[in-house]
Amino acid sequence: MLDLFQKKSLEPMLIGHEVEPFDDEDSLFELKLDGIRCIAYIERGKVILKNKRNKDVTLLYPELQELSACTNKKVILDGEIIVFKEGKPDFFSVQKRSLLTDAFKIRLATKAIPVHFVAFDILYIDGKDITPVSYTHLRAHETTWY
């Protein structure tokens, strides 16, 4: 039976609905970065990126292969691909990158408009499905949950 890593069919978590800003000690908040949500399947020497439609977008962002050097385990991350312009996320630039199809132009863009991957959640690590573990438990036990 295939596990989550082998299936490669997870969908990124998307914003459910917008609400007016509020302050509440019992609520947890994360930044919205104006990027492209995707799932990163990472193992030693290889990264596969799938967008919210489960389309493989790995070839569009060759610079993100460097993510494989960050771990020696199989990991699935839910995150966002972003481009920084003047220190701020710039959706227009990341969208421009996402529309490239020519391999030569993509290689040039890795220097001119480099992308970054910001991870929001670990979904899988070293054979363990982390999705059933609650968000609050993960945050309370940051280094002991796996």
Side-chain angles (χ1 to χ4, degrees):
M1 186 168 164
L2 298 177
D3 73 356
L4 287 178
F5 196 91
Q6 295 164 319
K7 287 181 184 177
K8 293 187 179 44
S9 60
L10 291 171
E11 295 179 9
M13 181 69 72
L14 302 174
I15 293 174
H17 62 282
E18 291 184 35
V19 296
E20 291 296 316
F22 66 95
D23 190 14
D24 179 5
E25 289 181 10
D26 295 326
S27 295
L28 301 168
F29 301 92
E30 290 184 351
L31 295 174
K32 170 69 176 105
L33 296 174
D34 275 342
I36 296 174
R37 289 302 296 252
C38 83
I39 300 290
Y41 298 86
I42 305 168
E43 59 183 313
R44 199 76 167 131
K46 185 176 182 181
V47 175
I48 295 173
L49 303 166
K50 300 265 190 129
N51 69 11
K52 65 183 180 183
R53 292 178 186 83
N54 203 36
K55 179 182 175 193
D56 190 328
V57 294
T58 306
L59 296 177
L60 297 176
Y61 312 106
E63 64 268 44
L64 294 181
Q65 287 302 310
E66 295 174 2
L67 292 171
S68 69
C70 297
T71 183
N72 59 359
K73 300 178 183 199
K74 285 185 177 181
V75 178
I76 302 174
L77 301 175
D78 181 0
E80 200 160 1
I81 297 172
I82 62 171
V83 170
F84 286 108
K85 193 170 189 177
E86 298 177 10
K88 298 177 188 172
D90 182 58
F91 184 72
F92 174 75
S93 294
V94 76
Q95 188 177 37
K96 185 176 179 180
R97 279 291 307 269
S98 73
L99 297 174
L100 294 176
T101 56
D102 180 76
F104 178 73
K105 289 181 181 178
I106 291 169
R107 279 195 310 278
L108 290 177
T110 64
K111 304 291 187 221
I113 313 169
V115 298
H116 305 274
F117 183 83
V118 176
F120 294 121
D121 291 303
I122 299 173
L123 305 178
Y124 173 100
I125 186 167
D126 211 20
K128 295 179 185 165
D129 178 358
I130 307 302
T131 58
V133 182
S134 75
Y135 182 85
T136 52
H137 181 81
L138 290 174
R139 295 305 181 260
H141 308 287
E142 289 183 24
T143 59
T144 60
W145 49 264
Y146 67 93

